[in-house]
Every structure is written in structure tokens, then in C-alpha cells.
Amino acid sequence: MTEKNRIRVGIDVGGTFTKAVAIDIKTGTILGKSTVMTTHTNERGVSAGIVNALSNILETSKISIDDIELISHSTTQAINALLEKDTFKVGIVAMGVGPEKKNIIKRTKLSDNKINSEHDINTCHCFLDTSHLISEEEVTTAIKKLKNDGAKVIIATEAFGVDDPSNEKFVMNVCSKLGLPSTASHEISGIYGLEIRTLTSAVNASVLPKTFQVANYVEDAIRDFGINSPLMIMKGDGGVTNMNTFRTKPILTILSGPAASVAGALLYQRITNGIFVEVGGTSTNICVIKNGKPEIRYVTIKDHPTCVRSIDVRILGVAGGSMCQIKDNRILGVGPRSAHIAGLKYSCFADPSELEGGKIVSIKPTENDNDEYVAISSKGKIFAITNTCAANALGMVDSDDYAYAAPDSAKIALKILSNHLGMSYSEVAMSIIQTASFTITKEISKILKEFQISPSTTQIVGGGGGASVLVPFVAKQLGIKYSKCKHSEIISSIGVASSMLQEELEITMAEPTPGKISVAHKKIHNIMIDRGALSESITISSEYIPEKSILRVIATGNVELDSSTTSKTIFTLDEALTRCSEIIKLPESLIELSFETEHYFVFTGHIEKKRMFSKHNRHHIIVLDRFGRLKLSIKNGKIFQGGKLSMLEDIDDFLESRSSDIAPQVYLLTDLKLIDYSSLTSNSHIIDAVRQEISENDKAAVIIEI
């Protein structure tokens, strides 16, 4: 029997272009790719562009629909709706016990300028006293009042609703009967902060009707095309989830597009340490990658703090298609408006005959713009002068590059501008590149300082169609090593196709116990199963953040478990050892594999520190998953493994031998879990927790920080 092909399709829906790629997931081979204009104004929205790109791939690559096992896509719908104020009025049903009414109303009305300074989240509000059992009649009355006040979507939020969400769920059920979309604060976050949880829910709810419609359009378009494979969507943390999550929690897809390109750089390029710079047509995205993973932060949306965590991406309004402004016969600025936004063709992509005799004109890219940008008017057409034009005029772009254009056209365009300014074309072109790159250089310099990164020990990695236009110049200016991603123009689509399912829970937990941690693990495991992950592919890690009293649980999994011998993205032992060496900056000869499971590598780096009259040995322990992602790093630790009884005895002896009364940092690793027990405060709690976990697993190791 012929083995079935395994093909995944990744589609990145950008502000200007929709780019699709088909990948053989066994070998990592790119089977087909397509770029079309994003169909924002189409009756069916961006789904029309998705189908166009998919159709092109199937036609050119001769891929069978039956061979496609998964389609994933990124989206700008949620963030665009927020930025363009294409939002809906939100009705807030706040709940709590009567004596706390005044405080609850204050914290859920969202009128505080600190969290809603522009008052652009349009809301109306009511309060329900839950000191008694609320009735369906009460809830119905409250919802109808909010609807009469203009609410198109409802959120339910209750003090301590994360502990008992029954009232929030009850409100959502009533909304469903009344035909109103709704969400609840406990669905967005498990932390106690009522104000931040309510605000995040309101931001999420404000785009729900829009994204619900988009989700249906996209799903219907894919099904109508005849494809019945699972359809996934990219989240801002670099993982994918199912379309139902997009329908109910679109806020999780904020920064979905930039996250896609970072995921591609991580999974396809295997960057360990570096600054990833993706240059598109209109914007540039910058992200720090440390120890094989991106920096993650809480997202602020238009000055609104949220409790949603996403990849830390800095977005700049300058890119390959950015247009120029002039003043006093010099280049005043480059961007943020681009040729794409203005609806103009790059002058460097025009035929030389189209530009001959052209003159400089000033235009406003959109009717609402106050600023004017320069362009070339020739033979009844208008052409943009962009960064890509300047770079090609200077010969900075290789002939096989995605951004390459005919130098003749680029030089003609720059000479028309240089004659207007009274300068040489090379001076004008270099001035454009320098002005545009300064914005990127300034942000990278800030990042170097913020993360204490030395230019001599890091690299800048370029991605996106415009990578060669600006990034090499920036790297040279900063004196940092530069490399460009393979297939950089479609790296975001590759990231979407290659990403795994990923979910994260943050749960307020003042006193963590092994039982509570186990409940949290089971909860996220069930969520992953619901999202479509195969049970045997799910890995779970948890960490406790004592300063916030939060247990953070992260699960990753796959819709289809990839073969560890053939998948492009899975690390071999040698590759994992190399990454470990890069992380702890130690020769591979001083690092040994100490423990291994189907999903994890545990390495120990042996470091000898010389003192005046003695030597001190330190054992740096690193845990990597099979995709090369750093899960744990302990600068000096001890590993316990072996038989269950002997391991428990050894751990008990070690804990008893310590002079300190404060329990050490303890982590337990099984085939599918990495559990942080550092929140346990006594030796007996640690032993009980380890005993409970290893009784359910055939293979386990305990790592203790010394």
C-alpha cells in the first residue's frame, strides 16, 4: 500500500498580500507557494483571497485535496478592527454580593482613564446582586436593558468568577437564548484582577460579531472548496488553535501575523539567539529570540493593558514599500505610508519607457491624510518612489532576491527625484535608505539595551519580502552579524503551516498544592483535546510566579503526531546538543545527556570554577523539548532518576541533608509533563508531590536546584 502524503498548508493573511505555502510535513519540502492581494473589500472578506491563494497552489503543484492534512492561517482581522474602530458596543453584566456593589461597579464600568484613556471601548453597564440565586428573569431583564442601550454583544464578569464561573455561564446561556453573542471574563483569564479581566473581556467582545462573521466566511469557503481537513488559526503566542477559539476569543489572535513569521524563523530556520527583523511592504516587525524561543509579554492594545500574553513584537511603520516625504530640497521622512496603501505601483517595477519624461508630484496616499508624499507622474500614471526603488538603484539587492527590480527603472526614478532636489541620484537613494533604516536601527539599539544583549554575540536575521532592502544596511550600521532566512518572502506562511497547537492558562493560586497543580494540568489537557490535539502528542509545563501568586500552565500538542525520524522541525540529539551548547556557552565536550524521554532532552554542562586554594564544580542543567525549545535552565543542580522507591529515598536523604529550612527549587519531569514544584514550602510536601506523580508514570526524573 502506498503511504499517504502528508501536506500542510499555511496561509498568512497580511494587510496587503495573502501568501500561501504547501509543505510536505515529513521532509519539510516546499511543494507550492502563491501570493495574491488581500481581499479586504470583497463581499466575502479575506476568505476570497485565501481561496485564490489555495487554488493557485493546487493548480501549480498538482497537490491532491485528499493529501492536505491541515490548513492553518494567520489573520489581522482582530487587530485591524480595533485599530480602525470597527467595533461594537459592549454590554457589561457585572455581578457580586450586595455590600461590594459600589466597588464592583467602579472596577467594571471601565471609566478609569488609566485603562480606557481614549474611551474608545464603547460600553453600557448593569449590576446583578449574586448574594441570592439569580433567576433567568432577572438576567433576561438586565440583558434586554443593555440591548436597548445599544449593546450588540454581552460580557459576564463576576468578582471571584474564576473560582466559580457558574453565574457567568448562566448569563451566557440566557444570551444564547436571546440570540446575542457573549463572552465571560473567566474564559479570557484565570487571574483574580476583576478590572483587568473585565477590560480584556470588553476588548475581546467589541470585535466578536466581526470575527464571528469572518470565521464563518473562511470556514465555509474552505469547505465549499472541497477540503475537509482541520482548519486552524494562528495565535499571538506562536501556537495555533481551532476556529471556535477565534469565534469566542479573537483577542488571542492579536499579533497573529507577526507571530507567524517568528514561528517560521524558529521552526524552519532554528534560530537560537538573535533579533528577527521581518520587513514587509508597509511595516517592519522586530522580535528578540533568546535560547530558541521568543520573548513573551502581556499585550497592550491602544493603551489598554490586557491579561493576554503574546510574542513581544515591535511594529514599525517603515518597510520595503514606504514612500518618501521631502522638505527644503532634502528627504524629510520615509513612511509610514506605503505604495500599497496609496494603491500605486513601485517605480522600480515599471518599464523604463513608462517613466521617461516623468515629473515629481506631491500626493496624499489616502483622502484622510494631512501629509504629502512624493511620486512620479508620467504618461497619465502615478508611480511611487520607495525604499525598494532606492535599494535597487544602488545595486543593494541581488538579482535572485524577491525584492529585486530592474536597475534601469530604479535609476530613472531616482534621477527624476534627484534632479528635482538638485542632488545626485546616488545621494538621494542613500538618503532614503539611511532615513528609513534609522527607525529600525533606533529600535534595535533600544532592544540591545533592554535585554542586555551584546552586538558581538548576537545576530540579526532578516525575513519578509523586503528583508534585503533595509536589514543588511541596519546590521552593518550596528556592527552585528547578518543572515537572511531561506524563503524569507514566505517565512510567515511557513510558520503558520509548521506551528503546533498551543494553549496557556494563568490561574491565581495563593497556596499551590500538588492536587491543585494536577487539576490545572488536567484542565489544560482537556482543552487541548477539545482543540483537536492527539492525546499522546500533548506536553505540559507549569511554573509558579510567586510575586503575582499565579500558576502558569502551558500545553503544546499536534493535530497529527509527527514522526521523530522524518519531521523537519524535530531536533536530533546532535542538534539538541548544539543548541544546548549555544545556550549555556559551553563546549559540547563538557555537556552530557543526563535524561531523555520521548518528548524531552535533559543535558548537564559541567563547569569547573577555580578559587584561590580550591576548585568548585557547577552543573548547569538544561531541559529542551524535541523541537529545541528551552523549557528549563538551572545554573547549578542535581538530577535524581532510577527506580521509584530508590529515587524517593535519595531525594528524601538529600532534602534532609540540607542546612536550610527553606525548600529548594524542585522540578519533576515525566514523558509528557514538566512540573514546577518550587512553590512547595516543606520537604514533606515535595516528597508527597513526587510520590503522587511518579506513581502514575513509568519514567520520571526530579531536578533540584542547589
Side-chain angles (χ1 to χ4, degrees):
M1 180 182 289
T2 304
E3 187 178 359
K4 186 178 183 295
N5 292 327
R6 294 188 51 213
I7 297 168
R8 291 188 178 182
V9 175
I11 306 172
D12 175 40
V13 183
T16 305
F17 296 111
T18 294
K19 298 181 179 182
V21 63
I23 297 178
D24 183 329
I25 203 64
K26 292 181 180 180
T27 63
T29 304
I30 294 176
L31 303 175
K33 55 186 178 180
S34 172
T35 300
V36 301
M37 296 298 293
T38 299
T39 52
H40 291 296
T41 58
N42 189 282
E43 183 183 352
R44 306 293 288 180
V46 299
S47 65
I50 289 174
V51 170
N52 291 342
L54 185 57
S55 179
N56 291 344
I57 283 181
L58 292 175
E59 184 178 340
T60 57
S61 64
K62 308 303 180 185
I63 294 170
S64 169
I65 285 177
D66 295 333
D67 289 336
I68 299 175
E69 69 171 27
L70 181 72
I71 295 178
S72 300
H73 74 288
S74 67
T75 178
T76 58
Q77 291 298 309
I79 188 64
N80 284 351
L82 289 164
L83 293 176
E84 296 166 10
K85 298 185 179 180
D86 187 10
T87 55
F88 295 81
K89 191 170 186 177
V90 178
I92 301 172
V93 179
M95 295 173 284
V97 295
E100 293 293 322
K101 177 179 179 180
K102 184 177 180 181
N103 183 45
I104 291 171
I105 290 176
K106 179 183 177 182
R107 296 175 64 193
T108 57
K109 262 199 168 182
L110 308 183
S111 56
D112 190 339
N113 285 331
K114 292 180 180 178
I115 62 170
N116 195 10
S117 58
E118 297 181 18
H119 298 281
D120 56 344
I121 303 297
N122 195 7
T123 64
C124 48
H125 185 279
C126 72
F127 173 81
L128 291 178
D129 188 345
T130 54
S131 56
H132 66 278
L133 191 63
I134 55 175
S135 66
E136 185 170 336
E137 183 180 357
E138 283 180 277
V139 176
T140 301
T141 301
I143 292 171
K144 285 183 176 179
K145 180 183 181 301
L146 293 172
K147 186 177 180 180
N148 289 336
D149 289 339
K152 302 296 183 184
V153 59
I154 304 296
I155 67 168
T157 182
E158 183 179 20
F160 304 107
V162 294
D163 293 332
D164 180 8
S166 57
N167 285 327
E168 291 188 0
K169 289 180 178 179
F170 184 59
V171 171
M172 291 181 70
N173 287 335
V174 176
C175 286
S176 180
K177 292 179 181 179
L178 295 174
L180 272 177
S182 64
T183 188
S185 68
H186 78 272
E187 291 186 328
I188 301 298
S189 176
I191 64 174
Y192 276 156
L194 179 61
E195 196 169 32
I196 191 71
R197 205 170 70 240
T198 302
L199 175 63
T200 306
S201 301
V203 173
N204 181 72
S206 70
V207 297
L208 261 183
K210 178 75 173 179
T211 54
F212 191 89
Q213 180 189 58
V214 171
N216 288 342
Y217 280 164
V218 172
E219 205 158 45
D220 289 347
I222 295 297
R223 301 302 171 232
D224 291 344
F225 204 80
I227 298 176
N228 296 313
S229 309
L231 176 63
M232 298 288 169
I233 191 163
M234 194 87 186
K235 298 189 301 171
D237 61 7
V240 294
T241 188
N242 63 18
M243 292 298 286
N244 283 333
T245 302
F246 182 50
R247 287 186 175 91
T248 58
K249 303 180 196 174
I251 195 171
L252 298 183
T253 66
I254 297 295
L255 301 181
S256 168
S261 53
V262 175
L266 288 169
L267 293 170
Y268 203 74
Q269 298 298 131
R270 299 192 172 184
I271 301 168
T272 300
N273 294 294
I275 299 171
F276 180 66
V277 183
E278 183 199 24
V279 182
T282 300
S283 62
T284 292
N285 305 319
I286 304 176
C287 176
V288 174
I289 296 172
K290 292 183 70 176
N291 300 329
K293 62 180 183 180
E295 289 295 312
I296 303 289
R297 64 179 173 90
Y298 290 102
V299 179
T300 298
I301 303 168
K302 292 185 69 180
D303 294 329
H304 302 304
T306 74
C307 45
V308 171
R309 282 165 38 87
S310 184
I311 289 177
D312 182 3
V313 178
R314 317 292 170 90
I315 303 174
L316 307 178
V318 62
S322 296
M323 297 173 65
C324 313
Q325 295 174 285
I326 60 173
K327 184 179 180 181
D328 299 330
N329 292 331
R330 65 183 181 87
I331 301 298
L332 175 66
V334 180
R337 289 301 189 213
S338 68
H340 308 286
I341 292 174
L344 300 179
K345 186 176 183 178
Y346 292 30
S347 56
C348 60
F349 293 131
D351 188 270
S353 63
E354 292 182 280
L355 300 175
E356 289 173 356
K359 294 182 179 181
I360 293 296
V361 294
S362 296
I363 67 165
K364 293 182 178 180
T366 70
E367 60 183 27
N368 296 321
D369 282 335
N370 293 320
D371 297 328
E372 293 185 332
Y373 292 75
V374 295
I376 295 174
S377 176
S378 178
K379 298 178 176 62
K381 296 181 180 179
I382 305 292
F383 300 92
I385 301 174
T386 68
N387 281 318
T388 302
C389 301
N392 277 285
L394 292 170
M396 294 170 58
V397 185
D398 293 336
S399 59
D400 60 348
D401 194 273
Y402 181 81
Y404 178 78
D408 290 346
S409 295
K411 288 179 181 179
I412 290 172
L414 269 297
K415 285 179 180 178
I416 292 172
L417 179 57
S418 66
N419 290 336
H420 181 81
L421 297 177
M423 303 165 62
S424 69
Y425 86 87
S426 58
E427 285 179 301
V428 175
M430 182 55 69
S431 180
I432 291 172
I433 295 296
Q434 287 177 331
T435 304
S437 65
F438 178 73
T439 305
I440 302 174
T441 302
K442 184 179 178 182
E443 187 61 36
I444 292 179
S445 297
K446 180 181 174 183
I447 287 171
L448 293 171
K449 185 176 181 181
E450 181 180 341
F451 292 97
Q452 298 181 331
I453 299 171
S454 171
S456 62
T457 57
T458 192
Q459 62 174 324
I460 292 177
V461 180
S468 298
V469 174
L470 293 173
V471 190
F473 185 84
V474 169
K476 187 176 181 179
Q477 293 291 102
L478 291 170
I480 300 177
K481 180 182 175 183
Y482 168 75
S483 63
K484 190 178 79 170
C485 283
K486 187 179 179 183
H487 304 298
S488 63
E489 75 279 6
I490 53 169
I491 194 66
S492 55
S493 301
I494 291 171
V496 177
S498 306
S499 291
M500 301 177 69
L501 288 160
Q502 181 167 305
E503 297 294 334
E504 179 180 298
L505 290 177
E506 286 193 331
I507 303 168
T508 299
M509 198 173 287
E511 295 183 7
T513 64
K516 290 179 181 178
I517 295 172
S518 179
V519 168
H521 283 198
K522 289 176 181 176
K523 181 178 180 180
I524 202 167
H525 185 275
N526 290 337
I527 291 173
M528 291 289 289
I529 295 295
D530 184 57
R531 300 286 189 262
L534 287 182
S535 180
E536 63 268 32
S537 76
I538 299 171
T539 60
I540 300 172
S541 61
S542 59
E543 63 173 331
Y544 186 67
I545 301 102
E547 63 271 19
K548 294 183 177 180
S549 297
I550 288 176
L551 179 72
R552 183 177 294 148
V553 188
I554 301 173
T556 58
N558 217 325
V559 178
E560 183 75 27
L561 186 63
D562 292 332
S563 167
S564 60
T565 59
T566 56
S567 176
K568 177 78 173 178
T569 58
I570 290 180
F571 275 53
T572 65
L573 175 58
D574 287 343
E575 289 169 336
L577 178 61
T578 299
R579 171 155 287 184
C580 180
S581 173
E582 292 171 347
I583 291 172
I584 62 178
K585 297 178 176 60
L586 201 64
E588 293 183 18
S589 59
L590 298 179
I591 302 172
E592 65 173 350
L593 178 68
S594 301
F595 185 72
E596 183 179 10
T597 73
E598 187 178 342
H599 292 90
Y600 295 102
F601 296 107
V602 181
F603 294 100
T604 302
H606 301 289
I607 303 166
E608 186 179 90
K609 293 282 187 179
K610 293 183 179 180
R611 295 178 177 175
M612 188 174 295
F613 299 110
S614 64
K615 295 179 180 178
H616 174 68
N617 293 322
R618 185 160 59 85
H619 308 286
H620 195 146
I621 299 174
I622 291 286
V623 178
L624 300 178
D625 70 9
R626 290 284 174 169
F627 294 87
R629 294 173 295 204
L630 177 67
K631 293 296 182 179
L632 182 66
S633 175
I634 292 180
K635 291 187 176 180
N636 192 21
K638 187 175 179 64
I639 300 175
F640 297 87
Q641 55 181 303
K644 295 179 181 179
L645 288 177
S646 62
M647 184 164 68
L648 282 171
E649 289 176 358
D650 291 343
I651 294 170
D652 192 31
D653 290 342
F654 175 79
L655 293 174
E656 289 296 326
S657 69
R658 297 174 70 254
S659 57
S660 174
D661 294 329
I662 301 173
Q665 298 275 104
V666 178
Y667 304 86
L668 186 140
L669 182 70
T670 67
D671 188 45
L672 298 174
K673 294 181 183 178
L674 174 59
I675 307 173
D676 176 5
Y677 283 142
S678 59
S679 56
L680 303 182
T681 56
S682 70
N683 292 346
S684 61
H685 285 167
I686 292 172
I687 294 296
D688 289 343
V690 173
R691 181 184 291 110
Q692 176 182 323
E693 198 64 42
I694 66 175
S695 67
E696 302 172 1
N697 293 276
D698 295 329
K699 193 172 186 179
V702 173
I703 302 169
I704 299 180
E705 187 172 21
I706 299 176

